[in-house]
Amino acid sequence: MQSYALTIDKFLDHAAKWWGDSQVVTAQLGRIGYADLRARSNRLSGALAARGLRLGDRVATLAWNTQHHLELYYGAMGAGFVCHTLNPRFTVQHLARIVNEAQDRVLAVGAGLADVALDLVFHCPSIEFVVILDGAPHGAIANRPTLSLEALLADHGCETPWGDFDENAPAGLCYTSGTTSAPKGVLYTHRSNYLHTLRALQADAIALTSADCVLAAVPMFHANGWGLPFAAPAVGAKLVLPGRHLDGARLAALIRDEGVTVAAGVQTVWQGLLDHLDVAGGEVPTLERIIIGGSTCPDALIDRMETRLKARVQTSWGMTELSPLGTVAAPRGAQRAVASGRTPF
């Protein structure tokens, strides 16, 4: 067994080599294979370095679940920068305090969030330039140089060595929501994210394989998107990103059109899907499992989900500080226990 640093770029390298044609799909925006996504992410690393970023510098993202946000994840982390995900639902004052404390040097902005970014950057002197992830900028934001992701890649993109640093180097930064006290910044290392991914992929946890199609309805700004941006490419699973729209009608269409087998998100998302199907009719026949987290889900809702969607519900619990997986119900735990004559929990 050869020794190598446990850095998260290895996951996308693996996907590009062995599952290069497996797709990352963004609702209403398009699709890309892992090989091409890896190439774009790596060139983005070079572009950020060409703009002056160095090991350990923070890159803030204010974005939804899209291909371009995923490219920024790996473009930043692969080169040893820190990807600092911001929650667009926080107030500008809340976000400004977080950005100023982190001393973010770059702000990457997703679709529909330019106005929030404009207010935010005025309060954040550490932000040196702004990248528009989806589409073209409409002028400079708060007098900072502002360019589109495509322009950044075209002007500065170049191949860059990945993982050329210690595995204990920081990879991501996510602030808690401040439920019990002031928000706290949780700094994830490459090693911690790598080990978290290996644990999440085990057979009695999230248990993804290359045959799966994963719908990540949990935001990528929420504790590493529950680790799915790492876990899906680690096994070559197809990854479906819904963007900013999580209404039942669009989710139902995505699940059917892309053949989703595993979906993850908070219970309110799936309640919306159920309500839509009850009104509009139809099925989601490929869906096998739903992973839920957040607040405690009522038994009645779990029963409704498993009956109407014909999918196994896996409840989970975690915290931002845990990357975030703490515990998760096994994919087939109860059925296996009953079949063997043992009493399930």
Side-chain angles (χ1 to χ4, degrees), residues 79-95:
F81 313 137
V82 180
C83 182
H84 178 196
T85 52
L86 301 174
N87 188 337
R89 301 186 179 107
F90 285 173
T91 66
V92 169
Q93 291 74 22
H94 192 157
L95 291 172

Side-chain angles (χ1 to χ4, degrees), residues 93-146:
Q93 291 74 22
H94 192 157
L95 291 172
R97 192 188 72 78
I98 290 171
V99 169
N100 289 331
E101 182 172 280
Q103 289 293 286
D104 297 322
R105 294 186 60 189
V106 183
L107 177 63
V109 183
L113 294 168
D115 289 342
V116 178
L118 177 63
D119 291 341
L120 176 61
V121 174
F122 271 119
H123 300 285
C124 300
S126 66
I127 298 294
E128 297 173 12
F129 67 97
V130 178
V131 179
I132 303 299
L133 292 178
D134 309 299
H138 300 288
I141 290 182
N143 298 319
R144 305 300 204 284
T146 304

Side-chain angles (χ1 to χ4, degrees), residues 136-222:
H138 300 288
I141 290 182
N143 298 319
R144 305 300 204 284
T146 304
L147 62 164
S148 70
L149 175 63
E150 300 306 325
L152 179 64
L153 288 172
D155 295 344
H156 302 289
C158 62
E159 293 187 9
T160 306
W162 268 358
D164 190 19
F165 43 81
D166 188 273
E167 65 184 26
N168 292 302
L173 176 62
C174 182
Y175 275 72
T176 62
S177 59
T179 304
T180 57
S181 62
K184 301 176 290 293
V186 179
L187 192 63
Y188 306 109
T189 67
H190 282 262
R191 178 180 171 84
S192 72
N193 281 345
Y194 198 105
L195 295 177
H196 180 275
T197 302
L198 296 184
R199 180 63 188 95
L201 288 172
Q202 290 187 352
D204 277 340
I206 297 179
L208 299 181
T209 75
S210 60
D212 281 313
C213 175
V214 184
L215 172 63
V218 55
M220 290 171 62
F221 54 77
H222 186 187

Side-chain angles (χ1 to χ4, degrees), residues 208-283:
L208 299 181
T209 75
S210 60
D212 281 313
C213 175
V214 184
L215 172 63
V218 55
M220 290 171 62
F221 54 77
H222 186 187
N224 295 321
W226 294 2
L228 295 176
F230 307 131
V235 296
K238 181 179 178 181
L239 180 60
V240 178
L241 303 172
R244 67 184 302 176
H245 300 293
L246 296 174
D247 58 276
R250 297 188 212 218
L251 288 180
L254 266 182
I255 293 169
R256 285 192 290 257
D257 293 347
E258 302 301 334
V260 170
T261 59
V262 181
V266 296
Q267 58 180 286
T268 52
V269 169
W270 310 120
Q271 189 156 2
L273 174 63
L274 287 166
D275 291 344
H276 165 75
L277 293 176
D278 285 348
V279 172
E283 304 292 336

